[in-house]
């Protein structure tokens, strides 16, 4: 909240070589009801020394002084990170020059024969200055918050991939192995049982175990895709084939080359992006065809997943709970990449991931494989 300048004691630095004009300035401010302390200086060296102390709320300056002008003083003030507002109060400057001074960044200007307006000019300059500082602080705090949120999202993505890898190992080593062993035993019972009812139950149980093993393998593949060990091109091709078999929607897959060299973390992000895009298509798009294009032109890995389905309403892309789309964007940032989503209702959607192959990124996949 900006405090009114009339409610506090203002520290004023007055750059003025005339003691009489300084007295007129203080008189005008007192008549305006301002509480203040004013220090007059008349040399550039003394002015710079006082500015370095950084204890003034506002600077009032005559334009022409012996050996220098207010422009020299302003040049020194402007380089300070927290410079006070600077007001020209002069009778020796034309309006054009004054406007030029304001364009340089000075707060305002006032003619000496119009000093009755000085309290208002001072209050307005301080209010604008403090409002600007508050806005800059808010922007800075927002940037810090966004950076921390991005770091948290990256940490969560890493944690998710590690947890997925851990669950996949447990499914493979414990559940998958146990189901396979039980299936062998049940099949043995079905082959060697003389009891027809028992044999039928054993065969039925073996079939259920077969389905359970298949389900556990599918879950394991989704959690931690071992197909990536065959390379990104083969992994995305596998995704496309699986989508086509499940949905009956034809998928056209193209790649700029048979193998695309990329780090583990970039490959995993590209794979997850294609996987999420295909999942969204199967849930919402109702397309007649899907295209997936994978390339690594000019040192940038690009994967584009497009469909000709119902498209996405513009407001859906920015709705508060569009977590899937935001997840894609946050995942891309972990490897220095970005996501472009374009869609028009009734004309399909295109999701494009671009990642510089030289980007360091974070070790998402490396952590997931630990």
């Amino acid at each position: 909240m900006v405090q009114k300048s009339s409610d506090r004691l203002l520290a004023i630095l007055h750059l003025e070589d005339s003691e009489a004009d300084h007295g007129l300035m203080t008189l005008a401010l007192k008549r305006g009801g301002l509480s203040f302390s004013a220090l007059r200086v008349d040399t550039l060296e003394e002015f710079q020394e006082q500015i370095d102390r950084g204890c003034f709320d506002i600077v009032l300056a005559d334009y022409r002084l012996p050996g220098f002008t207010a422009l020299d003083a302003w040049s020194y003030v402007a380089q300070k990170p927290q410079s006070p507002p600077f007001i020209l109060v002069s009778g020796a400057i034309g309006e054009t020059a004054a406007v030029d001074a304001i364009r340089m960044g000075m707060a305002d200007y006032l003619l000496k024969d119009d000093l009755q307006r000085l309290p208002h000019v001072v209050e307005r300059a301080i209010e604008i200055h403090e409002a600007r500082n508050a806005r800059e602080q808010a922007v800075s705090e927002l940037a810090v918050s966004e950076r921390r949120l991005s770091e948290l999202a990256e940490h969560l993505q890493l944690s998710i991939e590690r947890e997925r890898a851990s669950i996949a190992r447990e499914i493979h080593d414990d559940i998958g192995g146990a189901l396979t062993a039980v299936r062998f035993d049940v099949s043995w019972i079905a082959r060697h049982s003389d009891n027809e009812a028992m044999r039928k139950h054993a065969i039925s149980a073996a079939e259920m175990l077969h389905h359970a093993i298949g389900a556990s393998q599918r879950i394991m593949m989704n959690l931690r895709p071992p197909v990536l060990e065959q390379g990104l091109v083969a992994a995305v091709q596998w995704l496309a084939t699986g989508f086509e078999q499940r949905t009956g929607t034809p998928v056209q897959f193209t790649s700029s080359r048979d193998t695309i060299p990329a780090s583990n973390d970039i490959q995993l992000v590209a794979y997850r992006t294609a996987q999420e895009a295909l999942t969204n298509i199967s849930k919402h798009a109702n397309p007649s065809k899907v295209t997936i294009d994978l390339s690594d032109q000019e040192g940038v890995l690009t994967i584009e997943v497009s469909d000709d389905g119902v498209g996405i309403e513009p407001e859906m892309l920015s709705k508060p709970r569009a977590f899937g789309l935001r997840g894609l964007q946050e995942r891309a940032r972990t490897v220095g990449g970005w996501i472009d989503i374009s869609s028009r209702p009734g004309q399909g959607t295109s999701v494009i991931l671009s990642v510089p192959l030289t980007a360091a990124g974070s070790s998402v996949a490396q952590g997931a494989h630990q």
Side-chain angles (χ1 to χ4, degrees), residues 218-289:
R218 287 193 302 273
I219 294 171
M220 185 178 63
M221 289 286 287
N222 288 329
L223 289 170
R224 180 176 179 267
V227 68
L228 274 173
E229 296 176 2
Q230 305 300 318
L232 180 60
V233 176
V236 176
Q237 175 71 73
W238 179 81
L239 277 177
T241 301
F243 177 88
E244 194 171 71
Q245 291 174 348
R246 288 192 311 273
T247 65
T249 303
V251 179
Q252 179 182 350
F253 173 74
T254 59
S255 177
S256 60
R257 61 173 77 188
D258 293 337
T259 59
I260 295 180
S263 62
N264 288 342
D265 52 352
I266 292 177
Q267 288 191 55
L268 184 58
V269 168
Y271 177 88
R272 293 296 190 201
T273 299
Q275 185 181 45
E276 179 68 20
L278 290 173
T279 298
N280 288 338
I281 290 172
S282 65
K283 288 181 178 180
H284 310 294
N286 191 27
S288 62
K289 64 177 180 179

Side-chain angles (χ1 to χ4, degrees), residues 45-93:
E45 292 75 15
E46 188 177 4
F47 175 82
Q48 292 173 345
E49 180 182 346
Q50 294 297 329
I51 287 296
D52 288 341
R53 293 179 180 178
C55 56
F56 294 95
D57 297 304
I58 196 164
V59 174
L60 306 178
D62 194 3
Y63 184 71
R64 298 190 184 280
L65 297 105
F68 69 101
T69 71
L71 298 181
D72 300 307
W74 165 248
S75 297
Y76 191 78
V77 171
Q79 66 182 346
K80 299 297 181 180
Q82 295 294 332
S83 59
F86 192 107
I87 298 177
L88 281 176
V89 183
S90 177
I93 183 173

Side-chain angles (χ1 to χ4, degrees), residues 59-63 70 85-103 105-115 117-118 120-122 124-125:
V59 174
L60 306 178
D62 194 3
Y63 184 71
F86 192 107
I87 298 177
L88 281 176
V89 183
S90 177
I93 183 173
E95 185 173 348
T96 301
V99 171
D100 290 340
I102 291 177
R103 288 175 178 171
M106 295 184 191
D108 210 337
Y109 79 96
L110 186 68
L111 296 178
K112 286 185 176 181
D113 58 5
D114 195 18
L115 285 180
R117 294 184 56 245
L118 183 60
H120 170 70
V121 172
V122 167
R124 184 179 65 179

Side-chain angles (χ1 to χ4, degrees), residues 284-301:
H284 310 294
N286 191 27
S288 62
K289 64 177 180 179
V290 175
T291 61
I292 303 176
D293 182 64
L294 182 62
S295 66
D296 62 344
Q297 303 298 321
E298 300 181 356
V300 176
L301 173 70

